[in-house]
Amino acid sequence: NSPVSDSINWLNGFEIEQRQTGDYQNVDDSGQVISTSMEANETQEVATYTQVDISQGSSRWVIGGRYVDNELAGEDWLMRMSYVYTLDRNQSVKVLYSEGFNAPTFVQQFIEIPPNVVKGNEDIRAEKVKTWEMVFTLQSRHHFFVANIYRLWAEDFIFRDENEIGIIEFANTQDFTREGLDLDYRFRQNTLEVFANLSWAQQGNSTIEADN
C-alpha cells in the first residue's frame, strides 16, 4: 500500500491459493472401502489486483481491478468502483459497483455417485456476481442506521439439474437479476443494545419460471 500523495493511496497485491482434496470414499460398516466417488485432486488459483483510493474534501473515490486465473475454471477480469460523500460528521452516502468470481468446487466438477445420485461436470463455469448499491449511513453516539438499495446480476450460478437421460448433475443456471432494499438499525446505551433489520426483495414473493 503506497501513499502517492496526502490524498491518494495506491494498493497492489498478488495471491496464490493452492486447493487440494483427498479421495472421497464410501465405506461399509466394517470400514472397508467399497467405492471411490471422487479421486484426489488439486488446483491453483492466482490473482493480482490494483486499487486507487482518492480522498478530497468530503469526497472519496475507490477504483480498482482484479485478474483471477483458476486452473480448472478459467480466468476473468473483475472491477470495483465506489464513491462516498460525507454529508456531515454523522451522515454519508455511498454508491458502489463490484464484481465477484467464485470458482466451482471439486465436488461440483468431479463427484460421481451412481446410480444417478449426482455427477460432477468438468465443463462447469465459475459463478460471477455483479452488484450495484446505493447506501445512506447515519451514525451517532447511540444510533446507527443504514439504508441500502441494491441490484445484482448473477451469471452462471451452479445448481443441480437432471439432464436429458435422467442423471442428476451440476450445471450453470441462466443469468438472472435481483433488486431489493435493506434497512438496519442499532441503538446502544450503557449495557443495552438493540438491533433491528427490515429486508425487501422485489422478486421474493413470486415463482419465476425457469428460476433455479
Side-chain angles (χ1 to χ4, degrees):
N1 186 27
S2 306
V4 179
S5 68
D6 291 339
S7 60
I8 300 175
N9 275 305
W10 188 20
L11 175 69
N12 294 282
F14 183 75
E15 298 175 356
I16 299 177
E17 184 173 336
Q18 186 75 22
R19 301 173 185 174
Q20 186 173 339
T21 183
D23 290 332
Y24 189 117
Q25 296 175 330
N26 301 294
V27 299
D28 60 19
D29 293 339
S30 64
Q32 295 297 313
V33 176
I34 2 180
S35 64
T36 300
S37 298
M38 183 178 71
E39 295 181 354
N41 209 327
E42 64 178 54
T43 186
Q44 190 176 82
E45 186 172 290
V46 177
T48 183
Y49 55 89
T50 185
Q51 176 175 288
V52 178
D53 188 335
I54 305 170
S55 297
Q56 191 171 31
S58 300
S59 296
R60 181 181 178 186
W61 296 266
V62 175
I63 302 170
R66 176 183 174 93
Y67 168 76
V68 58
D69 185 5
N70 182 285
E71 281 183 332
L72 298 178
E75 59 183 352
D76 211 339
W77 289 91
L78 311 169
M79 64 183 303
R80 177 190 178 196
M81 298 180 292
S82 67
Y83 172 70
V84 180
Y85 183 76
T86 303
L87 302 171
D88 55 39
R89 61 181 297 178
N90 301 116
Q91 302 178 85
S92 67
V93 291
K94 176 174 72 173
V95 178
L96 169 71
Y97 175 79
S98 63
E99 298 178 350
F101 174 97
N102 184 36
T105 65
F106 293 123
V107 169
Q108 292 167 340
Q109 290 181 301
F110 302 111
I111 194 78
E112 185 167 0
I113 305 178
N116 300 350
V117 176
V118 66
K119 187 178 188 303
N121 181 353
E122 295 186 34
D123 297 324
I124 207 165
R125 297 180 298 278
E127 298 175 330
K128 190 173 180 181
V129 184
K130 302 176 182 179
T131 307
W132 173 90
E133 297 181 50
M134 180 176 290
V135 185
F136 169 77
T137 302
L138 170 64
Q139 185 170 10
S140 64
R141 183 177 178 183
H142 301 296
H143 305 277
F144 180 69
F145 173 73
V146 177
N148 178 26
I149 300 172
Y150 68 88
R151 178 179 175 88
L152 67 85
W153 296 262
E155 300 177 2
D156 293 327
F157 265 38
I158 298 170
F159 77 115
R160 293 190 187 196
D161 191 23
E162 183 176 346
N163 67 17
E164 61 277 1
I165 58 174
I167 297 176
I168 305 298
E169 65 177 359
F170 288 96
N172 293 104
T173 65
Q174 300 284 328
D175 299 346
F176 62 90
T177 61
R178 291 290 185 269
E179 299 88 24
L181 168 69
D182 282 319
L183 302 177
D184 288 287
Y185 175 71
R186 184 182 71 192
F187 173 79
R188 179 165 53 185
Q189 187 171 16
N190 300 327
T191 57
L192 174 67
E193 198 159 0
V194 179
F195 295 89
N197 168 267
L198 175 66
S199 296
W200 173 77
Q202 182 173 339
Q203 298 88 354
N205 193 32
S206 59
T207 301
I208 303 172
E209 185 179 354
D211 187 348
N212 299 292

